[in-house]
């Protein structure tokens, strides 16, 4: 039975009481459950009578192709009973490739809550396609999966023009206290994928056009961010102690990208927008790339996402550090950025094509750094491989394949 627009598999029919590999007829068609059962106990967290329960390296696989492709997918997930956390991933296989190849979709999902949460994936695959869920960590800890919902390809999605997440949520971050190291923090000025245990963003994403530029002064009011959930440590304005460590409070979303009002500029000084950045990196090629990005105004608009990864950088004064603030802030080894440049217009995501200019850089977090930001140009694919993120995921797959594999060769000013 094929999926219709916005239809879900709720796993309410079918019987599979043991973990051996087997096929089960469900409402949408036959699925293979390997190291998995259809669980209906009190410890199975579910909507309705039952949910899939995976253990070890269990998997859940469609045995049929959806005839009209897929635009987005949502999946409900929770730990079984009081089991420990597990990770899982979504894979897709297109019939058109004729190769039985599975391709990972989106980011790895960590399930740590005993309350069902929603994981959302942007797929954008036209034509016949099928999907598989694989449990990838957690060992004996069991995982519940329920309500697998698909929106068919081409169904109009709400307009996200000029939204900081218009081109995608790189890590699938969610506004859930049970996801402390992939926490979605949405502000009017930018959006943060925050990492509580590292005391810094995994990434920050924003849109930039002339409406964001004005005459407001730089506020320089570095401060803790009270928008973080209650009980979480809030990094303070002096937590980096730059005069001792040699690390700047490095902006992700720059102050100069938000000069339209005092309030908007001030928001860029929340410590949730900062990363420990070697001073010659922050004030050198990183700052020059920020300045270069603004040269595309006013005729263009930009979507920017940047962040940091790894552990250990070299500051200006006392050399190598892995952490600051008594271990509460991780010093990254690398700082990266992706910039998508479009002529001013509407329906932005639909206007990105294989010829759209995309600048991707990956800079070492050290002081002995080349002042020319162009030295550090790379591909989006390479940044994704280093971080595990799925950047620009709201774009059609064929567009992603075209623009994410190219190194920018445009002018460097």
């Amino acid at each position: 039975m094929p999926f219709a627009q916005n239809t879900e598999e709720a796993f309410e029919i079918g019987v599979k009481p043991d973990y051996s590999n087997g096929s089960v007829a469900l409402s949408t068609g036959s699925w293979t459950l390997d190291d998995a059962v259809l669980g209906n106990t009190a410890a199975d967290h579910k909507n309705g009578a039952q949910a899939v329960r995976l253990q070890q390296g269990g998997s859940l696989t469609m045995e049929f192709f959806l005839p009209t492709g897929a635009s987005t997918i949502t999946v409900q997930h929770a730990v079984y009973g009081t089991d420990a956390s597990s990770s899982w991933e979504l894979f897709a296989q297109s019939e058109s490739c004729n190769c039985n190849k599975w391709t990972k979709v989106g980011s790895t999902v960590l399930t740590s809550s005993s309350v069902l949460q929603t994981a959302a994936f942007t797929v954008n695959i036209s034509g016949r396609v099928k999907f598989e869920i694989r449990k990838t960590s957690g060992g004996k800890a069991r995982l519940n999966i329920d309500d697998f919902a698909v929106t068919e390809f081409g169904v109009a999605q709400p307009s996200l023009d000029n939204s900081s997440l218009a081109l995608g949520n790189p890590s699938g971050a969610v506004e859930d206290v049970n996801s402390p190291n992939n926490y979605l923090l949405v502000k009017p000025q930018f959006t943060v994928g925050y990492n509580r245990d590292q005391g810094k963003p995994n990434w920050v994403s924003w849109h930039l056009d002339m409406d964001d530029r004005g005459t407001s002064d730089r506020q320089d009011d570095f401060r803790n961010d009270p928008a973080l959930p209650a009980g979480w440590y809030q990094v303070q304005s002096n937590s980096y102690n730059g005069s001792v460590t040699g690390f700047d409070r490095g902006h992700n979303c720059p102050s100069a990208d938000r000069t339209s009002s005092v309030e908007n500029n001030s928001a860029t000084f929340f410590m949730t927008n900062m990363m420990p950045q070697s001073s010659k990196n922050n004030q050198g090629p990183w700052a020059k790339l920020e300045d270069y990005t603004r040269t595309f105004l006013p005729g263009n608009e930009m979507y920017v996402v940047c962040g940091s990864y790894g552990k250990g950088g070299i500051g200006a004064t006392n050399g190598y550090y892995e952490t600051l603030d008594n271990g509460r802030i991780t010093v990254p080894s690398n700082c990266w950025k992706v910039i998508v440049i479009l002529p001013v217009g509407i329906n932005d995501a639909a206007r990105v094509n294989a010829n759209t200019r995309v600048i991707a850089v990956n800079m070492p977090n050290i002081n002995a750094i080349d002042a020319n930001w162009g030295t550090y140009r790379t591909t989006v694919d390479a940044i994704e491989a280093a971080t595990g993120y799925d950047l620009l995921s709201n774009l059609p797959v064929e567009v992603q394949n075209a623009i994410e594999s190219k190194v920018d060769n445009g002018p460097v000013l």
Side-chain angles (χ1 to χ4, degrees), residues 39-341:
N40 53 19
T41 71
D44 286 292
H45 298 116
K46 54 195 180 294
N47 289 320
Q50 58 185 19
V52 175
R53 186 197 314 150
L54 304 172
Q55 68 171 7
Q56 300 291 352
S59 61
L60 168 66
T61 309
M62 287 181 176
E63 297 176 10
F64 57 94
F65 287 94
L66 307 180
T68 54
S71 176
T72 60
I73 288 177
T74 59
V75 184
Q76 298 282 304
H77 60 105
V79 300
Y80 169 80
T82 57
D83 281 10
S85 300
S86 296
S87 295
W88 56 278
E89 297 172 346
L90 177 68
F91 288 80
Q93 183 182 127
S94 174
E95 189 179 48
S96 63
C97 81
N98 229 7
C99 58
N100 295 323
K101 178 184 177 182
W102 291 98
T103 301
K104 184 182 174 185
V105 177
S107 302
T108 301
V109 179
L110 175 66
T111 300
S112 57
S113 174
S114 58
V115 177
L116 284 170
Q117 308 291 321
T118 301
F121 302 88
T122 301
V123 180
N124 284 339
I125 297 176
S126 60
R128 293 167 62 82
V129 63
K130 62 183 178 180
F131 295 95
E132 177 175 273
I133 286 175
R134 302 176 189 172
K135 185 174 180 290
T136 55
S137 78
K140 294 180 180 180
R142 291 154 293 185
L143 167 69
N144 281 132
I145 296 291
D146 205 0
D147 295 347
F148 187 100
V150 178
T151 301
E152 69 182 34
F153 182 80
V155 173
Q157 301 298 308
S159 173
L160 291 175
D161 270 8
N162 299 353
S163 161
S164 55
L165 293 181
L167 302 190
N169 179 331
S171 61
V174 291
E175 193 173 351
D176 180 357
V177 295
N178 294 304
S179 185
N181 297 327
N182 192 28
Y183 183 78
L184 189 67
L185 184 61
V186 180
K187 296 183 180 295
Q189 300 82 11
F190 50 84
T191 298
V192 181
Y194 191 70
N195 192 311
R196 181 197 65 187
D197 292 350
Q198 293 186 7
K200 67 174 183 64
N202 294 320
W203 53 266
V204 177
S205 183
W206 67 99
H207 174 263
L208 174 64
D209 65 17
M210 281 304 294
D211 287 342
D212 300 305
R213 297 274 291 161
T215 59
S216 294
D217 292 334
R218 178 183 169 100
Q219 298 303 298
D220 274 325
D221 52 345
F222 293 93
R223 63 201 185 280
N224 59 295
D225 191 343
L228 290 174
W232 287 18
Y233 177 69
Q234 296 180 12
V235 177
Q236 303 296 305
S237 62
N238 62 353
S239 291
Y240 290 14
N241 200 5
S243 62
V244 173
T245 65
F247 289 98
D248 287 357
R249 296 168 293 194
H251 281 72
N252 282 261
C253 179
S255 163
D257 280 8
R258 294 290 182 262
T259 56
S260 57
S261 70
V262 169
E263 178 184 7
N264 287 340
N265 187 263
S266 178
T268 69
F269 290 90
F270 283 121
M271 294 303 292
T272 48
N273 184 43
M274 302 297 160
M275 56 187 169
Q277 201 167 10
S278 68
S279 59
K280 289 188 178 178
N281 179 324
N282 181 43
Q283 300 170 38
W286 192 263
K288 290 179 180 178
L289 179 56
E290 291 175 340
D291 291 340
Y292 179 65
T293 303
R294 290 185 287 272
T295 67
F296 289 97
L297 301 172
N300 296 283
E301 56 185 311
M302 276 71 69
Y303 287 92
V304 189
V305 58
C306 74
S308 57
Y309 70 89
K311 189 173 185 179
I314 299 176
T317 50
N318 284 325
Y320 181 81
Y321 282 80
E322 292 191 346
T323 64
L324 306 174
D325 197 10
N326 296 313
R328 290 178 290 204
I329 302 169
T330 296
V331 177
S333 62
N334 290 74
C335 305
W336 58 270
K337 179 175 284 190
V338 173
I339 305 159
V340 179
I341 305 165

